[in-house]
Amino acid sequence: QVQPVESGGGLVQAGGSLRLSCATSGRTFSSYSMGWFRQAPGKEREFVAAISWSGGRTYYADSVKGRFTISRDSAKNTVYLQMNSLKPEDTAIYYCAAKYGGGSWNDGDYGYWGQGTQVTVSS
């Protein structure tokens, strides 16, 4: 099992950058694909990005493609989400999630979730 814990959220102006981190406990991190999801007030949770257990495949929502980059450091049991050119519509609580095996953009496939970190982008 893994237990994701997010950090790195905050308040940033439009056009700025933030890097979210997701540290995981457990010794089987390398067996899990990791995903980032977000939920804005009054909206459903949506997929942002995912990375396969090997790091060889990445997946992005169209809304963040070219602006966000997901990566993982297996030595640190940590996955990152580098967010550039932030827009007010990126404002949301960002959640990190873990899934055994291959990557997915379906939140129902992820069994382990963090508590979330707030990202607020001001205009």
Side-chain angles (χ1 to χ4, degrees):
Q1 293 188 346
V2 293
Q3 180 56 56
V5 178
E6 306 95 337
S7 62
L11 173 64
V12 63
Q13 289 188 335
S17 298
L18 279 176
R19 188 178 79 157
L20 304 183
S21 298
C22 174
T24 63
S25 61
R27 295 180 292 179
T28 58
F29 176 72
S30 60
S31 298
Y32 287 80
S33 294
M34 304 295 294
W36 286 97
F37 295 80
R38 66 187 182 187
Q39 187 167 21
K43 295 187 177 181
E44 294 188 352
R45 186 167 58 193
E46 65 175 1
F47 169 76
V48 176
I51 188 166
S52 65
W53 61 271
S54 68
R57 290 189 178 183
T58 56
Y59 313 80
Y60 295 96
D62 288 342
S63 59
V64 306
K65 210 171 285 185
R67 300 189 297 123
F68 290 11
T69 302
I70 189 170
S71 62
R72 65 189 295 159
D73 184 338
S74 294
K76 297 181 178 180
N77 285 4
T78 300
V79 63
Y80 304 98
L81 185 68
Q82 178 66 44
M83 306 186 294
N84 299 328
S85 302
L86 283 162
K87 305 175 181 180
E89 50 263 44
D90 293 318
T91 295
I93 299 174
Y94 283 70
Y95 297 92
C96 177
K99 168 189 182 298
Y100 187 81
S104 171
W105 50 83
N106 183 353
D107 60 353
D109 291 337
Y110 289 79
Y112 305 94
W113 291 82
Q115 295 299 307
T117 185
Q118 176 71 46
V119 172
T120 303
V121 184
S122 63
S123 57

